[in-house]
Structures are given as structure tokens and as C-alpha cells.
Amino acid sequence: MPRLIPLFFTLPIPALAAEVAAPGISASTYVQAALALALIVGLLAGAAWLARKVSGGKGFGQGGMRVIGGVALGPRERIMLLEVGEEWLVIGIVPGQIRTLHRLAKGELPAAEAGGQPSFAQWLQRIGERKTP
């Protein structure tokens, strides 16, 4: 019996390895990875939905401010109408600077001459045409 042990070490190793299945990735591995990825994406979507429900449906950082309308004056310049508390603010936004242009009491824009609601751009144009004393 002790003579058989050295004989065992003389067997070729590649012959023993040939009995093992060839390396490769089975289809079940791909399915398992896809299901794990779907679970992670689902958990992220669920966490975002839960965060929105807990915050009362408001977007993050909105507070008591609401955008009523806006006009693009150029590629980087805008005029916005914001509702803050009980007043409306007309602000000008340019790169590196935000300025309050006008303050209004909270309410509706005046009706247009045609009987419909004017757009913010039309209202802003009328304000700009007024002469200041």
C-alpha cells in the first residue's frame, strides 16, 4: 500500500483536469446578475418615491417659493416671475447675478384686451413701455 502513494503522484495532472467541465459562464449566471441589477434599480426607485411622499410631494429646496412664469431674453439671460409669500417678484437673471426688477402684490395678471389671459411676456412688455416719473 505505501508503494501506491508515490505512484499516485506520477499520474499526469492534465489528465485529472480533463474530467472537470470546461470553464464557461452559464445562462443562469446571466439571469441571476440581471435579476440582482433589477432589484437594485427597483430599490433606488422605491427610495426616491418614498422620499417624495415623506416630503409632502414638494421638490427638494422649494420652500415657500413658486415660479409663475419666465421669459428668455438670450441664451443666458432670463426674466422670471416668482411668488414668494404674499407678493410676486420680477427678477432678472444673468450669469453671475440676480436682481429684483419689480415687486407686485400677489394676484392675477390683468386680463388682455382680447378678453383672454395675457402671457407673462405681454405683461412684461406693457410694464416696460410705461414711463417712469
Side-chain angles (χ1 to χ4, degrees), residues 36-107:
L37 181 62
L39 176 69
I40 291 170
V41 170
L43 286 173
L44 286 173
W49 175 81
L50 184 63
R52 187 170 182 100
K53 286 296 181 183
V54 169
S55 70
K58 294 181 183 176
F60 297 104
Q62 284 187 350
M65 190 180 309
R66 191 169 66 114
V67 176
I68 304 297
V71 177
L73 301 176
R76 299 173 66 188
E77 298 85 17
R78 295 188 66 83
I79 294 182
M80 304 290 295
L81 179 62
L82 301 177
E83 179 181 312
V84 180
E86 293 299 317
E87 68 180 347
W88 282 356
L89 299 176
V90 180
I91 62 169
I93 303 172
V94 296
Q97 190 175 9
I98 299 175
R99 287 220 172 149
T100 303
L101 303 176
H102 192 68
R103 292 177 184 263
L104 301 164
K106 180 179 174 182

